[in-house]
Amino acid sequence: MISLKIHNKEEKWMEGYDSLAAQNKEALFLAQKGEEEYGDSQGWLDTEEWADEKRIRHLETLAADIRQNADVFVLIGVGGSNNAARSVIKALQLPDTPEIVYAGNTLSAHAMQQMLGKLEGKSIYVNCIAKNFETLEPGAAFRVLRKYLQERYGNKAPDRIIATGTVGSSLEKLCMDNGYAFLEFPDNIGGRYTAVSNVGLLPMAVAGINIRELVRGASDMQKELRERTAEENIAYRYASLRNLFYSRGYRIEMLACFEPRFRYFYKWWIQLFAESEGKDNKGIFPVAGEYSEELHSVGQFLQDGTPIIFETFLDIKEHQESFYMETDGKKDGFNYLDGKDFWCINKEAYKATVTAHSEKIPCLTLEIDRLDAYHFGQLFYFFQFACYLSCKLMGVNAFNQPGVEAYKKKMFDALGKQLEK
């Protein structure tokens, strides 16, 4: 299970924690039970609802067929529709599985040309993920790729298209009219909470990820967080600490790790917290630190700059891979590294960074046993539940996103789309 460590528990950072945690236990109780007020957004609370055995078997069969026939699998989606899948695929994709190409997450003409260039001469399958099929980026990309497939495969093109959308949406009608395979996008989950559903699991399975293990990890974390008391509940402790630091003037949280395979997980985490918590003129701004590279940039700010950031480290406990430093016989001043494992060097860099940073700012570490599908499932559920709790403590709705609609209206007006009243 994930463990939580608090570094350098100085009184100025921790003062008031016990009182805050004791006063808000009701928030944990309500979250564990599930709230009728948010019933149309909490399908993720029970992993079994959208990742039961029947669905997993269907996704495994569909993914196996795609792996057998595809060189490239194009994942069309933006934000919550692709961030979870991409984070796991970039970290864990198996060899000899289709190349995963991403589309529908930009409106750049250059990016569109580059994406199409990757498809030439290869066997292509496409998965368009869009909850209500109204968002511009995936809608535009799907149109481009449908035309591309039609020109290449003719009347066989529909066999290569899968769409994931809500039942009754215009995307489902498009599939029915044109013979595309259709998967259900949960109608009671917002995009950023859909990692453990058709939305995230099919692309992961195409990349050879063991989605059963990922679902098992999420399910185990669900049991942990929905049964543990406030004193033992790591999600509640983490959410309480975030709000405590926020009240102390730390308005930015940096999620940092010394493992580059978490790069795209940061994007998922940033969207989850930014879109859920940033409203009503409140919220902790989420950013990421890719270490050790960014120790030579943002590390300077954290050590000597304005103290407005608190830091949450992700750390992997188990020694999974090794690469040992060997001498080449040259005098380069790095002989102290001879015989050392890069895993150990990296771990010492993490320890030194935590020690140094925690002398200046609040620092936490969330530790997992190993980097695999099971623990990705744990991380998804942990952060989703912790985000829900953190929003409750802050007094905002974790599941709406009214601010996102402001730019869309102006953009659609400029493009000439007539919006329904």
Side-chain angles (χ1 to χ4, degrees), residues 6 16 36 92 133 181 204-205 209 270 275 293 314 330 351 373 386 399:
I6 306 169
E36 186 176 346
L92 300 178
F133 201 47
M204 294 179 201
I209 310 301
I270 287 170
E275 194 172 358
E293 180 179 358
L314 288 178
K330 306 292 192 298
K351 292 176 181 177
F399 306 111

Side-chain angles (χ1 to χ4, degrees), residues 63-134:
D65 182 65
I66 294 170
R67 284 199 305 271
Q68 185 175 357
N69 294 289
D71 298 317
V72 175
F73 180 77
V74 184
L75 175 54
I76 302 174
V78 65
S81 295
N82 73 0
N83 277 343
R86 182 167 57 166
S87 68
V88 181
I89 292 166
K90 290 289 189 179
L92 300 178
Q93 182 170 11
L94 295 185
D96 301 319
T97 55
E99 178 185 2
I100 311 297
V101 171
Y102 301 89
N105 55 359
T106 177
L107 296 170
S108 163
H110 175 74
M112 186 66 72
Q113 293 281 11
Q114 275 198 321
M115 181 272 295
L116 290 173
K118 294 178 180 179
L119 310 185
E120 289 301 313
K122 298 177 181 177
S123 176
I124 312 302
Y125 279 69
V126 170
N127 180 202
C128 177
I129 305 174
K131 185 170 185 177
N132 52 23
F133 201 47
E134 294 175 355

